[in-house]
C-alpha cells in the first residue's frame, strides 16, 4: 500500500459504501465529508467554556444541562451532531464533595465539538489505564491536589457516549460577566484534570 490514502484499499471500500448509500438516496453526494468538515471546524475548548460559564450564571440552564446535556447545549447554539448520528453527551458537575474526571479506557473517545481535538496525554495508554486505578495520583501529577474527603468519580467515555465536566466556579468571581468566566475555563478543567 502506498502512503497516498486516496488509493488505499480501505479508502476504496469507504468510497464504495458511500456511493451505495448515495445511490439508494440515503445520503446526498458529499454529505459525509461535509458533516465531518463542519464538525471539526467548530470544535474548540471555547465551546465547553461557554457552556460552563452559562451553567455558573444560570441555575436553570445548569439543571437542564445535568439532566439532558444534548438538549441543553442547543440553547447556546451547540450540538453533538458530528456524523450520521448525534453522540450522547453526559455532563457532570464538580462539587466540594465530588470531583469528576473523564477518560476513554478503550481508545480516546472525546467530545471534539465541545473541547476541540483531544490532547496527546488523553490518548496515551498511561493516562487511560492509570486514571481508573489511581485517579488521585494521576490528578496530583497534573498539579491538582484534592482533599482526602473529596470523592473522585471516573467517567469512561465510549463510541456512543461522551462526557464533559463542569468545574466548580472559582471563588471571588461573582462580579465577572459570562464571557469573563468562560475565559477562566481550561480544557483540562472540562476533562477534570484541573480545578478550572
Amino acid at each position: 500500500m502506498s502512503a497516498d490514502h486516496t488509493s488505499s484499499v480501505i479508502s476504496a471500500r469507504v468510497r464504495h459504501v458511500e456511493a451505495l448509500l448515495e445511490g439508494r438516496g440515503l445520503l446526498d453526494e458529499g454529505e459525509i465529508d461535509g458533516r465531518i468538515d463542519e464538525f471539526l471546524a467548530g470544535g474548540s475548548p471555547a465551546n465547553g467554556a461557554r457552556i460552563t460559564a452559562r451553567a455558573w450564571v444560570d441555575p436553570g440552564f445548569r439543571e437542564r444541562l445535568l439532566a439532558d446535556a444534548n438538549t441543553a447545549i442547543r440553547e447556546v447554539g451547540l450540538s453533538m451532531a458530528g456524523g450520521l448520528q448525534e453522540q450522547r453527551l453526559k455532563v457532570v458537575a464538580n462539587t466540594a464533595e465530588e470531583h469528576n474526571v473523564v477518560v476513554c479506557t478503550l481508545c480516546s473517545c472525546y467530545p471534539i465539538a465541545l473541547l476541540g481535538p483531544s490532547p496527546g496525554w488523553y490518548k496515551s495508554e498511561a493516562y487511560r489505564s492509570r486514571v481508573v486505578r489511581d485517579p488521585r495520583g494521576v490528578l496530583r501529577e497534573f498539579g491538582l491536589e484534592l482533599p482526602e474527603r473529596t470523592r473522585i468519580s471516573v467517567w469512561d467515555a465510549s463510541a456512543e457516549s461522551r462526557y464533559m465536566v463542569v468545574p466548580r466556579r472559582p471563588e471571588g468571581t461573582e462580579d465577572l460577566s459570562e464571557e469573563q468566566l468562560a475565559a477562566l475555563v481550561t480544557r483540562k478543567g472540562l476533562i477534570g484534570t484541573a480545578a478550572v
Side-chain angles (χ1 to χ4, degrees), residues 19-95:
L20 287 173
L21 292 170
E22 289 170 357
R24 293 183 180 158
L26 298 171
L27 287 175
D28 292 333
E29 188 174 333
E31 183 175 350
I32 290 176
D33 288 337
R35 288 192 181 210
I36 290 171
D37 290 345
E38 281 177 25
F39 183 67
L40 293 175
S44 166
N47 293 334
R50 280 182 33 223
I51 293 167
T52 296
R54 175 70 55 89
W56 285 344
V57 300
D58 182 344
F61 176 76
R62 178 187 176 92
E63 187 176 308
R64 293 187 299 278
L65 181 66
L66 297 176
D68 182 357
N70 287 77
T71 300
I73 65 173
R74 288 187 192 105
E75 295 177 34
V76 293
L78 298 170
S79 84
M80 288 296 291
L84 300 177
Q85 178 178 333
E86 183 173 57
Q87 298 167 337
R88 179 182 169 272
L89 176 65
K90 170 78 175 160
V91 173
V92 292
N94 289 343
T95 66

Side-chain angles (χ1 to χ4, degrees), residues 4-5 23 43 58 63 65 67 76 79 83 96 101 116 118 120-121 137 150 163 177 181-182 186 190:
D4 177 12
H5 297 292
D58 182 344
E63 187 176 308
L65 181 66
V76 293
S79 84
V101 64
S118 57
W121 56 262
T150 303
Y163 293 90
S177 69
L181 288 168
T186 67
L190 298 167

